[in-house]
Amino acid sequence: MNLKSLKNKPPFKIITNIYILILTVFIIWMLFLDENSYLTHREFNEEIKELETWIDYHKQKIAIDKETIEKLKDSLELERYAREKYLMKKENEDLYIIEFDTIKK
């Protein structure tokens, strides 16, 4: 099997065809080396998923805050919220904070 016989075989002719070589280089370039390669797009898609998760989390937080704002429009709820969150009290009123020990001995 010498070089002449190898050159005459169809697979070798297809592989050495200039169009196939150029197409192969182009495909490799576009998939891996280009600025807009497949790898870059895959990273961007992962980042988009993370950002969508972040957006959903903050939308839920906004909905919870809107509910809290609606509740605080009532004066009794506003007073309860101030007492629980900020430990506010009325004049001539004592406030006792009871903390439970959650560590088992």
Side-chain angles (χ1 to χ4, degrees):
M1 193 181 217
N2 58 14
L3 191 56
K4 274 190 176 181
S5 66
L6 188 63
K7 284 183 178 180
N8 290 333
K9 295 200 178 213
F12 186 78
K13 285 184 176 184
I14 292 172
I15 291 173
T16 57
N17 185 338
I18 188 71
Y19 297 111
I20 298 296
L21 289 174
I22 291 173
L23 182 65
T24 305
V25 169
F26 177 75
I27 289 174
I28 290 172
W29 178 270
M30 293 308 284
L31 285 177
F32 301 108
L33 303 174
D34 191 43
E35 183 177 305
N36 298 317
S37 68
Y38 169 73
L39 300 174
T40 306
H41 280 284
R42 194 174 67 190
E43 290 175 9
F44 286 153
N45 287 338
E46 290 174 7
E47 187 176 344
I48 287 171
K49 287 178 185 175
E50 290 175 10
L51 291 174
E52 286 174 347
T53 304
W54 186 79
I55 288 171
D56 291 339
Y57 169 77
H58 285 288
K59 282 183 180 179
Q60 290 173 354
K61 294 293 270 182
I62 289 171
I64 291 169
D65 289 342
K66 284 183 180 180
E67 288 177 18
T68 304
I69 290 171
E70 284 297 319
K71 287 180 183 177
L72 293 179
K73 289 183 179 179
D74 182 24
S75 63
L76 294 175
E77 282 292 321
L78 182 61
E79 183 180 340
R80 184 189 62 79
Y81 187 82
R83 287 174 177 268
E84 290 178 3
K85 292 287 185 179
Y86 298 109
L87 305 175
M88 293 183 168
K89 63 179 188 159
K90 294 180 181 177
E91 287 186 32
N92 299 325
E93 183 179 57
D94 293 329
L95 182 66
Y96 297 101
I97 300 173
I98 301 172
E99 293 183 8
F100 295 101
D101 188 18
T102 58
I103 300 174
K104 294 182 180 179
K105 294 181 182 179

